[in-house]
Amino acid sequence: MSTWHDYVQRNGKVPEWPYPVNYGKVNEVVSDVLVIGGGVAGLQAAINAARMGVKVAVLERGHAKRSGSGGAGVDHWHGAVTNPCSKVTPEMYTNACYDSMQGWTGGHVRYIITKEGWDTLLECEQMGIQIRDIKDEFKGADFRDEETKLMFAYDYANKHIIRVWGYNIKPKLYEEAKRLGINIVNRTMPTSLLTVGGKQGKRVVGATAVNTRTGEFYIFKTKAIVIATGGAGRLTFFAPEITASSSMSDMNSAGVGQALGWNAGAEFVNMEMSGPNRLSGFGYAPYSMGGAHNTYHGTPIVDADGKEVPWMDPFGRELKTVEDRFLPQPGHDFILGEGIGIGPYLQQFRGNDLTRDLVERIRKGEFKLPLYADLSRLSESERRVIFGMMVANEGKTRIAIYDTMTKAGFDPDKDLFQAPVMPAEGYSHSNFWGAGINAPANLRGLGGGGFLTDWDLRTRLEGLYVGAGSTIYGGGCHGESHTTGRYAGKHAAEYAARAPEPVADKNQIEKEKEAAYSATHQSKEGNGWKEINAAIARIMRDYCGRHKNDLTLNLGLRLLNELKTTELASAYASNPHELGRLLECNALISVGELVIKASLERKASNSILDFHRLDYPAMDPPEWNKLLPIRQENDKVKVRDLPLDFHLKTPYAASYEENYKKHGGK
Ligand SMILES: Cc1cc2nc3c(=O)[nH]c(=O)nc-3n(C[C@H](O)[C@H](O)[C@H](O)COP(=O)(O)OP(=O)(O)OC[C@H]3O[C@@H](n4cnc5c(N)ncnc54)[C@H](O)[C@@H]3O)c2cc1C
């Protein structure tokens, strides 16, 4: 095998750019539905649109076979509440999410997820993803249903979160998309949505883009678009050398879909919401250190002397047995599960966890560091399902963690798995590998805000739909992203089937084309994309961090604008890859402006949004208990008021079920 070092030693220099570069060469792609972002949500949107008989194209920044946060796998699927074993109904689940968030999440999106999550998973099974214990490896285990062979996580009584063998979920979706003849244009960076007359707020009719290998220009002409580009992790934090290995974000999470929508006139809500960026990349590779959270839920944690840390229910009672960790306790309605885009939990839905006073007890010397995960204290089936089935299927863990540790001789039957050694506060959350203590205190990430959509998952713009996790207001995690993508794809196809032919505006295309290549003819003295991205993240952290006021926010806006018109305008791209990354910086600045402008509009502090205005310190004043949808019209900001439960108010019906049925549901 030849390595990078071999290459450089043999040739004495770094390789030439390996692709022919044709800046300015125009390619046209015509479809009925264009999906931007080929992650799990995007491929589901594409597959489901294609199944309805329309012509589909996917515009993907990476390679759709493995791209996205869900590209490396998944081990548990949330929201499949209509599975035959579940004791939770869509209404129960939706209300649990909505009430836990005190209304600050999209109830209609949650309901769609729960109505169709199980059907979506069954379709994944048809594509070749294992969702049942077909080899009877876990026969008789507490978490397995003997009849269906389904296996559950977190709540073994209510059975709504399903353990899946998802290491190959993305390649299987990709195969299905190819089988259906979907045109997937990989390694391509979108720069704009084309709208009728090139005007903000009008029907979308296409997109422009640049290929990041050849530099060629793409014009996508289409009747409907689904945006599914994931989150915007690089907005507040950027250090590419470490994000790749240890962050939960995808390197392509630059908020480009949000920027495209914002610049085209779509509406957004809750973009002012943010939270501590625990899983930032300053911690450890995902799931690589002992802990008791998520995939490792239920794992016994012991101290250096072998003394076990107690588990408690959310009501403060110590759990007597290991089995209890996976069961609802008196006072629980059901356990909702973690990682679904919910911040606070009402007690009756919160999971069992390590004792909440662990930090104090470590400080007092009651537990001696280091701590360890002791999987040997679990029953054989629990041990094998965690370090085996789940770690081998979870995102980013099959090779990096499971294979590496197993090959190095780690044996969960007898070996302890060390937790990171940290200041005591690091143990305040049972996810030790992602402990917030390892990230600078000013590091925050967006959380929960996104495109505002209706019951079709359509935005304010005719023809523009959104699927996905972090892109949409009310989105969740892996299974939820598949489900909203699938739903948005169907509705986009339905619209496309009756929509008039798209007519793109020539001036808009020409303007976009010129702007797209600006960085290729700047002076080589110009900054590179990494410096610009780091500067954007710094501005956002400093001026739109946890504590802000009118002045800091306006200074942030000014600095973003200065950066755009000076350093970014004169930045240089020496190849199409760098050009793509610089175009992302443009998008990051647009999202940054959106976030700051949304923050300026909320003149009150809000506990659920973790939003702290120093100039409006009163927390949660009732008159601000409303959404503030924000958009651009003729490049001017427009804001309106919207009740939190808008999805059950006129023009919609008063019940979830009625709305769902009216919008094509069964
Ligand atoms: C390590 C890890 C483990 C996880 N484990 C679980 C789990 O067990 N259960 C669970 O429920 N969730 C889990 N998640 C979360 C889950 O993977 C995400 O919620 C889900 O992948 C979101 O799906 P998405 O399609 O919205 O976004 P993504 O999967 O991130 O896909 C976004 C897609 O858009 C593309 N894209 C980005 N920018 C552009 C652009 N400018 N132009 C075109 N395309 C673009 C990306 O390349 C990517 O293909 C995990 C995440 C990680 C990182």
Side-chain angles (χ1 to χ4, degrees), residues 35-43 58-64 66-78 164 170 185 188-190 228-231 247-257 260 286-287 294-295 338-340 390 393-397 433 467-471 476-482 484 584 587:
V35 178
I36 304 184
V40 292
L43 287 187
V58 174
L59 191 181
E60 165 56 42
R61 181 75 177 86
H63 192 295
R66 278 290 184 191
S67 60
S69 296
V74 56
D75 65 358
H76 58 286
W77 179 288
H78 291 279
V164 293
K170 200 70 201 308
V185 184
T188 301
M189 167 66 200
T229 44
S247 150
M248 288 292 275
S249 262
D250 177 300
M251 180 63 194
N252 289 329
S253 298
V256 175
L260 294 174
Y287 309 90
N294 196 276
T295 290
E338 304 241 352
I340 53 171
M390 289 183 84
N393 284 282
E394 175 60 312
K396 300 190 178 180
T397 56
W433 61 262
S470 340
T471 330
C477 241
H478 194 113
E480 292 105 314
S481 305
H482 282 255
T484 52
E584 278 173 348

Side-chain angles (χ1 to χ4, degrees), residues 29-162:
V29 178
V30 179
S31 62
D32 296 312
V33 173
L34 170 67
V35 178
I36 304 184
V40 292
L43 287 187
Q44 283 283 5
I47 289 167
N48 283 281
R51 283 179 181 163
M52 290 178 67
V54 300
K55 194 170 165 195
V56 181
V58 174
L59 191 181
E60 165 56 42
R61 181 75 177 86
H63 192 295
K65 189 169 179 185
R66 278 290 184 191
S67 60
S69 296
V74 56
D75 65 358
H76 58 286
W77 179 288
H78 291 279
V81 305
T82 60
N83 84 73
C85 307
S86 166
K87 297 193 180 130
V88 176
T89 65
E91 277 76 11
M92 283 163 70
Y93 191 99
T94 304
N95 289 331
C97 293
Y98 190 78
D99 294 347
S100 287
M101 288 295 282
Q102 295 176 33
W104 296 92
T105 184
H108 60 311
V109 179
R110 299 277 167 191
Y111 190 75
I112 289 164
I113 285 166
T114 52
K115 283 300 267 192
E116 302 196 355
W118 168 241
D119 296 339
T120 310
L121 186 57
L122 284 176
E123 287 172 12
C124 288
E125 187 179 29
Q126 295 291 315
M127 291 180 217
I129 295 133
Q130 188 185 338
I131 68 162
R132 301 167 205 267
D133 181 25
I134 42 178
K135 293 184 198 146
D136 290 333
E137 289 174 87
F138 295 96
K139 210 166 181 198
D142 291 352
F143 47 80
R144 183 183 192 263
D145 174 67
E146 293 304 315
E147 204 179 317
T148 59
K149 304 192 179 190
L150 291 171
M151 305 211 310
F152 301 96
Y154 287 113
D155 183 339
Y156 296 171
N158 289 297
K159 301 181 169 43
H160 60 100
I161 305 162
I162 300 182

Side-chain angles (χ1 to χ4, degrees), residues 602-621:
R602 186 166 293 284
K603 299 190 190 310
S605 294
N606 184 298
S607 54
I608 302 284
L609 306 184
D610 204 358
F611 183 73
H612 304 268
R613 288 285 304 247
L614 294 167
D615 41 357
Y616 298 98
M619 193 55 83
D620 303 325

Side-chain angles (χ1 to χ4, degrees), residues 420-431:
V421 181
M422 307 179 275
E425 312 85 77
Y427 302 94
S428 62
H429 191 287
S430 52
N431 178 358

Side-chain angles (χ1 to χ4, degrees), residues 12 15 17 27 56 59-60 96 146 204 209 261 306 319 341 383 402 404-405 516 581 600 619 665:
W17 184 252
N27 301 272
V56 181
L59 191 181
E60 165 56 42
E146 293 304 315
V204 293
L319 300 177
R383 182 163 56 250
Y402 185 71
T404 306
M405 285 183 58
R581 293 289 184 221
L600 278 164
M619 193 55 83

